[in-house]
Structures are given as C-alpha cells and as structure tokens.
C-alpha cells in the first residue's frame, strides 16, 4: 500500500509539487498523467526517497525513508540507470545481494521475458538504450517489491517488451502488488488502470477511478483539463 | 554573409552574452581574470632570481609537456578520432549543401579556437617561470602558442589515424605499433643518453632533451624547436617550426583529398562520444572511462551482502576498466612528482607538488560515479554504512599511488627513507581529506551548482581551508623539534591531523546516501 499525504516539494522558490495526497491500495494500479513539467517525476522521486519533501509518504504503513520501506519498494527511473562495467546478470545479482535476498529464479525469468537471457554476459555499456531500459525494469522487479513505481517505463521499449510489461502490470496487480505508473502516453495505459491522477502545474487537477461511470474517456478528460485550463 | 560565418559569429556573440546573463559565469570569468592579473603582477614584482636556473631545463620541460599532450590527444585516434565537430554540426551542417572540404576547414578553424583557449591556462605558471627562468610575458605567449599548436596538430593526427584505421583491427594494430614505436625509439635514445651522460641526473636529463635528434620528435620536437627559437630570439628557428606546422596541415588536407577520405563517418563517433559526455554532465552523471575492448573475464559478484556488495561491485568494475591501482593520469602525476623533485632537489616541495596534483584526481574515483546512480540511495541499508563501502575502493589505490610518488626519492635526492615513508602516509591522509571535502561539497552544493568552473574554484578553496590544520600541525611540530628531529615527524603530524579531520568530515556527511537530494542530485 502506498499512502501520499499532503506532499509539497519546493526547489528554492519554485514549487514543483503542491500539497499532493493520494492512496493506492494493495493490488491496485494507479496511473499518473500530466504534460511535461507537471511534477510527475518529482512526486515519484519523493516516493522513492530520492528527494526530500514536506508531508508524509508511507509504504506499507512505514515512512518511505525507513529501511523496511526501502526494502519493499521497486523503482524504475525515467532514464535507464545501468552500470557500464557490470554484465546484465551481475546487475540482478548486485540488487539481490544488496537487498539480502536469495535468487529464487525470478532473475532468469525476468531476463527471459525481456529477451535479455542470451545477453546475460553483455556489459551495461554494450546495451542499446531500449535494452538498458529493460534491464532497469528487471532491476526494479527482481527483489520482488510489494510497491513498485514506474517513471515513463515504455519509453524506448520495443513492441515485445511493451507487451510483456503490460502483462507484468496485470500480474503484479493480481498478486497484490501496489503499482504506480507515471506516463504521458495515455493510450498505453488506457485498459488496465484502477485509479488515474491527472497532474498540472504541480497539483492534481483530476482523480478518476475505473469504477466511475463516466462517458468521457481518460484521454478526452486529459486534454480538456490540461489544454483548456479547466478543473475537474 | 556566409552561413558558416554567421554560425561562428553568432555562437561567439551568444557565448559572450551568456556570460553577462549568468552572474555565476561572470563571477568565474572575473576571478579567472583577476587571478591571471595577480599572477602576472606578482611575477613582474618578484623579477627574476639573482641566480637563474639553467634555461635548458625549461627547454626540457617544454618538450615533455608538448610530447605528453600530443601523445594523450593523438592516441584517441585509435579509439574514436577527434572531437572536431559538435553533434549539432553533424546533424545540421553535414546534411546541408556544403562541400566536405569547406566543412573540414570549418572544423579545423573551430579546433584552432579551442586549442588557443586551452593554452591560456599556462598564464598561471608565469610567476615561477619568471623567477626561475626570466620568462617575460611575450616569451610566455610564445610558449602558449606552441602549446596551442601542439593541441591542434594532435587533434588533426587523431582524426587522420582514425580515418585511416577505423574498421580494421589490423590497420589499427599496425598504426599503433608505428605510433608508439616512433615515440619509444626517441625515448630510447633519450634514455640511453641519460644513462651514458655525466654529472647529476638533472644535468643528464637536460642534456639528453637538448640533443638535436629530439627536434625530430613528431610535432613536440619541432614545435619546441620553434618556441625555444622565439625565447632566444632566433627567428629562423621560429620560421622553420611555423613552416613545419603549415606543412602538416597541407599534408593532412592533401591526404584527405587524395585518399578521398569520407571524414563525416570518422568524426561521427567522436562527436557522439563528446555529446554523450556533455549530456551526462548536464544530467549529473559521471562518465565511465572504459577501454574500447573490455575484457569481461570472470562473471558474477559472488561476495558481499547488503552495503558490502557495493565494494565488491567496484572491484569488478575497476578490473574491467583496467584500473587496478594506477591509471594513466596517476602514473603521469607520479612521474611529474619525481621530475619535479629532481629539479628542485627538495622533498617538502615535491610533497606539496604531489598533493597539489592529487586535488583534482581524488574526485574522479568510482565512488563519485556511484553517487550519480539511484541504486546506492535505494539499497535498504544504513546510509553511513553504504558510504563507507562506497569509498572503500579508493583507499588501496590512494595508498599505492602515495608509495609510487615517493619511493624513488631516497635514490634521487637528499631524502632518507623515514622521511619518504612519512611523506607516503601524509599524502595518503590528504587523499582521505580530499574525499571528505568532495563529500562535504556534494552535501552543500552537489549537482545544483550552475557553473562547474565556479564549483571547481570553491572545491579548491575548501581543499586549501581543510589543509590548514594539518599544515599548521606539521609546521608546529617542525618548530618544536627544530634542530634535533627529522622533518618526517612533521609529515606524521600532518597524517594524524588529516585522518582526524577526514573522520569528522565523513561523520558530517554520514546521511548523504539517505536520499539523493542530500547530495543535491
């Protein structure tokens, strides 16, 4: 479970995120939508513990800076983060060791799914940007987190990897994992979200639940709110 | 107006405008200018020493500097050529209807400006050059122009090597053999004459560097010949050197034309490498200085749990980067320290020089790269523990480099073994101290500093301030034991104070890995 309560993030005089609150339960997929510069990556970095903030963020009921919360969290950064001098397989071994976990076969399964298994001895620097992104996703999933946040995960992925990732989203939901996806590719998440939050200028301008009976599609709502200046 | 002239003039105009728009850039420029004026002023005030040093020493120093710069830049031709063009040039100009030769001239012209700007750093050597060798400002200008010409020709050679060898490992191997073979042959002649010479080691080195055959050293030899001509008023020598310089450009241009070298493809790699380095800098990431062909070797981390795995990972990364205890720069710094010690014949001066050279290299360790990645912040371990394992990899290298810097001194100058060992441990402690300063600065300013040059200046200032307690302790010990104790005790006092201060700095930065914003990244 992820609980974000009254979070504000300022860079000097600039307020990047203003008083944002939301909650995502176990087995729920939430999407965070918004134009460039809306504050999506900032709130995601606050949740992942990379940024300081005012307010409260809890992961499974624990403050996000605690070691227990960090252990429960998986994070896919916006820019793929891989080590040039580690092989693909060593990246996953590094994460498992850092999180003090045994490999139960998840690592190989992830490499298979993302078509990286035959490249397990390739160095990070030898991977294309798309493959680096796949590896970054594998690193976030391999320690089997119960809360996972994706920042623009589809960027640079090939169709096969996008298909796999979408399946993984659903599998994570079915296994009770809390999933938060930040994206501006609305059509890529249209079919499987449970909650959607639209951000603009550092604040939420709309929240929608999949169970809401509303004729207006998410895409139409998004453009109405972000281009016209209306609020929901 | 030609579009290329428009591009060059507007780029320059906007660069100047940018300086005035950004206060930090203006401050840096003013500090740099003020410091240059200060150095020139103090140089002129001090005038030349009554007993000038042998001018041939300066000639030898120039040969060494030009040769090292030439080799370091030209050897890039075996990997990715020369960064003569920016990515914007490649994407916008190469597709535009320009002749390839026009583009080549544009690249060479841009490179010339870059090379000249690099030569400006030599201004800061004016003060000691003036007092030791009576180098006037005009003479310094000649040295700077020689340096700029070396950089320029080295870039050209790098590009030519890449054009002729890229895509063929065999050609690359042969060219490498020829390139290093020529350099080693000259060094062999140099070494032979040093061994066979008479007198002190410095006199033999100077005499060997002054041999007529050394004028034929590629690029460095004839440019040093011309600069020495300018220093001594022998304008025939200057003309010969300028003629050689122009001949190199004509030969290069002729080769590109005759061999119909399609250099667009050849510069692309260097442009991409340069672009990714610039992008990485903008994103606050540190670039991996990896060899082109990495030998992966044994795979698997196999050891370490929790924070300890960070240190194990660094060992593997260092092995693959071929950085065991020394990299090329640390070897050059060590050689420079030994040469400096031989020239000044003073252990304390050599120590100060060695520490000064270390100030910049400490911040380029793998631990600094680690701070730019998210994992080290996400790992569920106490931040201080992660910090200790992150900087652990630097310590063996720091110790080994400290030994290398001073191990030869007892054989070469008046320096006993106790002093040499004390200098080693004191240098090691300065390494620890500078790591602490790096961390503290990351904690305070980090990646948010708008201007990297300003950051470097602040870093230097912090390093100087942090060094004061240890230096004061060293001086105090020296005065207390003056007359009956060795200078080694002063170095040991430096070591003790630096270690204590480093521990304090680490403690102050103990939470830096709790979140990346503690490091302002």
């Amino acid at each position: 479970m992820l609980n974000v309560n009254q979070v504000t993030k300022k860079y000097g005089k600039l307020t990047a995120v203003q008083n944002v609150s939301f909650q995502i339960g176990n087995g729920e997929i939430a999407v965070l939508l918004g134009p460039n510069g809306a504050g999506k990556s900032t709130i995601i970095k606050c949740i992942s513990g990379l940024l300081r903030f005012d307010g409260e963020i809890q992961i499974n009921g624990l403050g996000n800076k605690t070691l227990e919360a960090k252990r429960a969290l998986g994070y896919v950064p916006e820019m793929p983060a891989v080590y040039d001098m580690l092989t693909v397989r060593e990246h996953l071994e590094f994460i498992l060791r850092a999180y003090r976990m045994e490999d139960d076969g998840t690592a190989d399964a992830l490499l298979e799914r993302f078509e990286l298994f035959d490249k397990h001895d390739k160095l990070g620097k030898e991977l294309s940007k798309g493959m680096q992104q796949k590896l970054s996703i594998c690193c976030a999933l391999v320690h089997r987190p119960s809360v996972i946040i994706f920042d623009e995960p589809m960027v640079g992925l090939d169709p096969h990897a996008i298909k796999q990732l979408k399946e993984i989203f659903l599998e994570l939901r079915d296994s009770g994992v809390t999933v938060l996806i930040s994206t501006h590719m609305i059509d890529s998440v249209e079919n499987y979200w449970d909650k959607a939050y639209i951000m603009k200028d550092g604040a939420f301008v709309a929240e929608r639940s999949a169970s809401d009976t509303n004729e207006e599609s998410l895409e139409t709502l998004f453009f109405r709110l972000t281009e016209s200046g209306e609020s929901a | 107006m030609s579009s290329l002239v428009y591009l060059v003039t507007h780029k320059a105009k906007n660069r100047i405008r940018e300086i005035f728009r950004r206060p930090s850039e203006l401050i840096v420029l003013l500090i740099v200018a003020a410091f240059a004026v200060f150095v020139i002023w103090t140089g002129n005030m001090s005038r030349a020493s009554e007993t000038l040093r042998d001018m041939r020493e300066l000639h030898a120093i120039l040969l060494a500097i030009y040769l090292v710069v030439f080799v370091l830049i030209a050897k890039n031709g075996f990997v990715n050529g020369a960064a003569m063009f920016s990515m914007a040039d490649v994407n916008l100009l190469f597709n535009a209807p320009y002749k390839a030769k026009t583009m080549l001239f544009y690249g060479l012209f841009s490179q010339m400006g870059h090379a000249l700007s690099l030569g400006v750093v030599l201004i800061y050597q004016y003060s000691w050059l003036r007092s030791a060798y009576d180098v006037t400002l005009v003479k310094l200008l000649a040295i700077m122009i020689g340096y700029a010409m070396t950089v320029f020709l080295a870039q050209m050679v790098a590009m030519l090597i890449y054009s002729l060898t890229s895509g063929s490992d065999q050609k690359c191997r042969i060219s490498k053999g020829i390139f290093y073979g020529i350099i080693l042959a000259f060094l062999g002649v140099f070494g032979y004459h040093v061994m066979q010479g008479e007198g002190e080691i410095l006199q033999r080195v100077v005499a060997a560097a002054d041999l007529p055959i050394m004028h034929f050293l590629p690029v460095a030899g004839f440019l040093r010949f011309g600069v020495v001509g300018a220093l001594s008023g022998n304008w025939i020598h200057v003309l010969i050197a300028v003629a050689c310089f122009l001949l190199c450009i004509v030969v290069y241009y002729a080769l590109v034309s005759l061999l119909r070298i399609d250099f667009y493809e050849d510069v692309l790699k260097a442009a991409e490498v340069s672009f990714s380095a610039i992008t990485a800098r903008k994103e606050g990431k540190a670039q991996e200085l990896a060899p082109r062909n990495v030998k992966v070797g044994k795979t698997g981390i196999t050891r370490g749990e929790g924070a300890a795995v960070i240190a194990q990972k660094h060992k593997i990364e260092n092995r693959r980067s071929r950085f065991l205890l020394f990299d090329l720069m640390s070897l050059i710094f060590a050689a420079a320290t030994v040469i400096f010690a031989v020239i000044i014949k003073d252990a304390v001066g050599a120590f100060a020089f060695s520490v000064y050279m270390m100030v910049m290299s400490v911040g380029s360790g793998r631990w600094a790269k680690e701070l730019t990645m998210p994992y080290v912040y996400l790992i569920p371990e106490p931040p201080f523990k992660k910090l200790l394992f992150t900087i652990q990899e630097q310590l063996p290298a720091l110790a080994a480099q400290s030994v290398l810097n001073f191990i030869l001194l007892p054989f070469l100058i008046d320096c006993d073994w106790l002093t040499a060992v004390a200098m080693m441990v004191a240098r090691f402690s300065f390494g620890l101290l500078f790591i602490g300063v790096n961390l503290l600065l990351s904690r305070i300013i980090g990646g948010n500093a708008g201007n990297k040059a300003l950051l470097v200046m602040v870093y230097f200032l912090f390093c100087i301030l942090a060094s004061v307690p240890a230096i004061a302790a060293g001086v105090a010990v020296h005065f207390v034991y003056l007359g009956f104790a060795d200078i080694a005790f002063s170095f040991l006092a430096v070591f003790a104070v630096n270690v204590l201060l480093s521990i304090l700095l680490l403690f102050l930065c103990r939470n830096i890995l709790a979140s990346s914003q503690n490091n302002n990244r």
Side-chain angles (χ1 to χ4, degrees), chain A residues 42-43 140 164 172 226 229:
Chain A
T42 303
I43 190 73
Q164 286 299 325
L172 289 171
T226 57

Side-chain angles (χ1 to χ4, degrees), chain B residues 255-270:
Chain B
L255 278 174
V256 170
S257 303
L258 287 173
L259 301 175
R260 298 186 177 193
I261 293 171
D262 181 3
F263 70 89
Y264 281 14
E265 184 184 321
D266 298 331
V267 298
L268 184 60
K269 179 85 182 290

Side-chain angles (χ1 to χ4, degrees), chain B residues 26-45:
Chain B
L26 191 60
I27 291 168
V28 170
L29 191 70
L30 289 174
I31 292 173
V32 168
F35 193 47
V37 170
F38 175 75
V39 169
I40 291 168
W41 180 71
T42 51
N44 285 337
M45 286 296 284

